[in-house]
Amino acid sequence: MTCVIQFIPGINEKVLPNVTLTRSRDGSTGTATFRFKSASLFEKDIKNSSEITGMFLIDDEGILITKEVSARFLNGKPESIEAVYIMKNREAWDRFMRFMERYGQENGLTFTKAN
């Protein structure tokens, strides 16, 4: 199985996100903010197929879900999607990072650590 991101179950998001990570000083919690500019779910044939109920990060280990998803509009047209995934403990952080490592390898993404 491959690593995919979905907003509508069964429809893989084709646009690669910009992902920003933050982590608490003690490493016990963190957030990941995903920004999809011109997300493929805005395409005419997709947007009428179903409701967006969250962002689903799917890999061999299972599914990570966040319901914190919002859209940005410019002049009445959808411009981008933003989703926030919250990690409430070290185990959740480690699981998320395993997903991102697989997703990054499959899609040619790199991790750049902040200075």
Side-chain angles (χ1 to χ4, degrees), residues 5 7 13 15-21 32-39 55 70 72 79-84:
I5 296 175
F7 291 100
E13 178 55 51
V15 172
L16 296 177
N18 180 349
V19 182
T20 305
L21 296 173
T33 303
F34 290 75
R35 289 183 185 87
F36 297 82
K37 188 169 174 94
S38 301
M55 181 178 71
S70 60
R72 280 216 172 127
E79 181 183 54
S80 63
I81 290 278
E82 183 173 294
V84 178

